[in-house]
Amino acid sequence: MFKEFHYQVRGHGHLQDGTPVQDRTKYLSRGGVQVLCLADGAGSATHSQFGAQAVVDEACTTLVNRFADFAASDDGARIKVELLEQLVSKFNQVANQHGVESRELASTFMCVAVSGERFLGAHVGDGVVGYLKNGELKVISAPDNAEFANQTTFVTSSRAAESMRLFRGSLEGVAGFILMSDGTAESLFDARTGRLAAACAKLIAAVGAAPADLSKTSKYTKRLRRLMDLKIRNATKDDCSIGILGRNLARTRPNRPVVGHQVPRGSHR
Amino acid sequence: MATLNIGADDLVDNPTPRVPVSLCLDTSTSMAGSPIAELVRGVNLFYEAIDEDDDAHDSAEINIVEFNSSAGLVHDFASIERLPRISSLTADGLTAMAAGVNLALDTLEKRKATYSGSGVLYYQPWLVLMTDGAPTDNIEIAVKRVVDLVETKKLTVFPIGIGSRADMNTLARFSPNRPPLRLDGLKFKEFFEWLSKSVARVSRSTPGDTVKLDLEGLEGWAEL
């Protein structure tokens, strides 16, 4: 089993202009599947905090329920369409509740799900997904910023399916994953080299080494939050969010696999 | 838990995303006297205003292209700390506006390539075209280049007419999305103050933000 940490903090720019925190993170563990999701609501969308919450809620449930199907399928295009349809359907429902167009809920999206010795994930928009494998930090999915710094793709964008990166693989040698919004990426991802900051390995290791019975008020959680509240947040005006899955490889037993087909190797992009 | 000791060396200090701004200025004979003196003063005030804004200070990179009988680079793109303040510009010759616009677009493309090559993010580039007259060269290619870029949302253009003799019809051809501005008299100061605030707005924007120009802020010193 992986241990997890996820957190979002309101950016200084949002504090100044009175907008709420529009990043959201969520973790769900059920039936041998662990899912971590992160979404960053668009600054221009009036209800994007609700959109980001809807995305992480719906994606966690969908991935817990469909992990075996998605992991076994070789039809990446179908998985993208199904996942997006699920998210957009939730958007429409939430938009109706608030009496707004669904584009007012615009949000990016990224997730990682693990079960047994397999993982899979998806990413739409900016932010970064990375992992620590055999002691080496690697980027799984880099930001999609189009040409300009203030442009990206959202779940509600017409080219969301085209932009979505779908990935999967074996958990052998994988100590953990890290998901981050663009605000956090300003400190933890080098845009010039396309590499993750060394801090990512330390964060994954810290989460993996944490005691199993964690509470939101534990010393461990407080220290991670403090890092986000101060160092990471002070490097940007944007909201900052992060999601980490970590495990101690030396003591690792395979996760209880979800019932399903054998997962083929490879990834869909 | 393992010791969580994260220092500055473990984090990344990414460069601030840039806003490249090309000032494409008419320095033909008709600009001689007060207009060119006020223009120089306005440009330097623009630099000061950018310098004073925390966000624009780190993101704006500005160059100046002048056009008279030909086009030339007064200074290349630089951040506000490295920008040379201009002491004077010489007004002389014809109005090779197309040559000026083409040179400004070339410098913007080159700057974008520099950003991309070094992993620096950037915002949509800006072209500020200022003239008090009408072009004396063929503008068709320059107009097409600008319009194509504006329509594909790869360029923000501000065509500015100076005084009553500025050819607003020509300037309008460079601006498919909004009419050109005509300055009220020689109110460069007000224009450049407004421009610096607009640059600052862009430099604060995040993905998904639609940066709206403060058109009400134009009142009293310019008309659309």
Side-chain angles (χ1 to χ4, degrees):
Chain A
M1 284 284 284
F2 283 83
K3 291 157 196 162
E4 57 82 24
F5 170 79
H6 63 101
Y7 186 57
Q8 61 274 326
V9 60
R10 193 179 183 191
H12 290 297
H14 287 213
L15 270 174
Q16 280 172 2
D17 60 24
T19 50
V21 58
Q22 292 162 333
D23 283 13
R24 290 291 189 276
T25 56
K26 185 168 180 173
Y27 168 76
L28 183 62
S29 175
R30 201 165 67 202
V33 181
Q34 293 177 271
V35 182
L36 188 59
C37 291
L38 184 151
D40 178 355
S44 59
T46 57
H47 288 60
S48 66
Q49 69 272 31
F50 300 111
Q53 187 65 54
V55 163
V56 297
D57 287 344
E58 188 64 21
C60 277
T61 307
T62 300
L63 284 163
V64 156
N65 293 336
R66 302 291 306 280
F67 183 92
D69 294 341
F70 288 167
S73 173
D74 277 334
D75 190 349
R78 181 186 64 82
I79 296 172
K80 288 181 183 183
V81 169
E82 279 189 29
L83 193 51
L84 275 174
E85 280 179 353
Q86 201 75 30
L87 298 180
V88 169
S89 169
K90 181 72 174 181
F91 263 14
N92 292 338
Q93 183 189 330
V94 175
N96 277 337
Q97 288 168 0
H98 289 276
V100 297
E101 298 285 325
S102 56
R103 66 171 178 272
E104 297 299 344
L105 275 67
S107 163
T108 67
F109 165 64
M110 66 185 78
C111 67
V112 169
V114 298
S115 179
E117 274 304 301
R118 307 297 303 177
F119 73 87
L120 63 83
H123 184 191
V124 177
D126 58 11
V128 182
V129 182
Y131 70 163
L132 183 61
K133 183 170 184 176
N134 298 324
E136 195 179 342
L137 272 175
K138 292 179 180 173
V139 171
I140 299 177
S141 185
D144 169 16
N145 273 111
E147 182 179 359
F148 302 122
N150 55 352
Q151 290 180 346
T152 193
T153 309
F154 299 107
V155 172
T156 45
S157 303
S158 57
R159 59 180 295 274
E162 183 189 332
S163 163
M164 179 186 276
R165 284 85 81 197
L166 201 61
F167 48 89
R168 62 185 179 181
S170 165
L171 284 175
E172 189 177 345
V174 175
F177 297 87
I178 187 161
L179 286 66
M180 65 188 83
S181 65
D182 60 337
T184 301
E186 287 193 37
S187 298
L188 296 182
F189 174 73
D190 191 327
R192 292 159 293 192
T193 62
R195 291 182 177 175
L196 292 167
C200 295
K202 291 188 175 182
L203 287 165
I204 290 170
V207 171
D213 54 341
L214 291 170
S215 71
K216 287 185 177 177
T217 55
S218 71
K219 187 187 292 182
Y220 140 91
T221 303
K222 282 180 181 172
R223 288 170 76 174
L224 288 169
R225 286 184 172 183
R226 186 171 169 78
L227 174 79
M228 290 294 293
D229 287 340
L230 298 176
K231 284 188 180 171
I232 305 294
R233 184 190 188 203
N234 286 342
T236 178
K237 298 205 167 190
D238 204 358
D239 291 340
C240 296
S241 56
I242 196 166
I244 301 170
L245 291 176
R247 64 178 178 175
N248 188 339
L249 277 175
R251 290 184 290 162
T252 297
R253 289 181 193 163
N255 287 6
R256 183 165 61 90
V258 66
V259 176
H261 307 288
Q262 184 67 33
V263 182
R265 289 185 180 276
S267 65
H268 304 287
R269 289 185 65 91
Chain B
M1 85 184 270
T3 304
L4 186 61
N5 185 13
I6 291 179
D9 290 348
D10 296 316
L11 301 171
V12 173
D13 188 11
N14 278 303
T16 305
R18 304 293 204 271
V19 187
V21 181
S22 183
L23 302 178
C24 185
L25 308 177
D26 181 347
T27 55
S28 61
T29 301
S30 57
M31 287 288 288
S34 297
I36 202 83
E38 290 301 313
L39 178 60
V40 167
R41 190 180 310 188
V43 168
N44 286 323
L45 282 168
F46 177 53
Y47 291 174
E48 296 311 316
I50 292 285
D51 197 10
E52 285 170 15
D53 185 283
D54 287 345
D55 297 306
H57 175 277
D58 293 337
S59 61
E61 294 202 330
I62 303 158
N63 84 350
I64 294 182
V65 168
E66 66 170 338
F67 56 92
N68 37 62
S69 293
S70 60
L73 197 57
V74 175
H75 66 68
D76 205 351
F77 284 104
S79 62
I80 199 69
E81 285 179 353
R82 295 182 180 181
L83 270 179
R85 298 326 191 235
I86 52 173
S87 53
S88 65
L89 290 170
T90 303
D92 186 33
L94 302 175
T95 310
M97 188 187 297
V101 169
N102 280 322
L103 179 57
L105 294 179
D106 292 345
T107 62
L108 284 168
E109 288 301 319
K110 192 176 164 191
R111 197 62 181 172
K112 288 198 301 182
T114 302
Y115 295 146
S116 297
S118 51
V120 176
L121 297 176
Y122 57 91
Y123 296 96
Q124 197 181 50
W126 288 20
L127 170 64
V128 180
L129 171 60
M130 305 187 81
T131 182
D132 71 338
T136 53
D137 57 355
N138 187 332
I139 62 168
E140 296 308 319
I141 292 173
V143 165
K144 184 173 188 320
R145 285 182 74 186
V146 171
V147 169
D148 285 351
L149 288 167
V150 171
E151 288 183 341
T152 52
K153 297 184 177 174
K154 291 182 182 295
L155 180 74
T156 299
V157 62
F158 295 97
I160 311 294
I162 303 164
S164 58
R165 288 189 299 177
D167 181 352
M168 301 306 282
N169 290 330
T170 293
L171 286 176
R173 295 190 61 198
F174 285 101
S175 187
N177 291 349
R178 79 175 74 88
L181 280 176
R182 188 195 295 276
L183 279 190
D184 180 7
L186 297 176
K187 295 191 174 176
F188 293 103
K189 174 175 176 286
E190 290 81 354
F191 167 70
F192 281 113
E193 280 176 354
W194 176 85
L195 192 67
S196 68
K197 286 177 186 164
S198 301
V199 171
R201 278 186 182 209
V202 169
S203 63
R204 279 192 283 272
S205 64
T206 55
D209 281 354
T210 305
V211 182
K212 289 183 179 168
L213 296 173
D214 172 24
L215 297 180
E216 288 179 6
L218 302 174
E219 286 177 3
W221 57 269
E223 61 184 61
L224 278 171

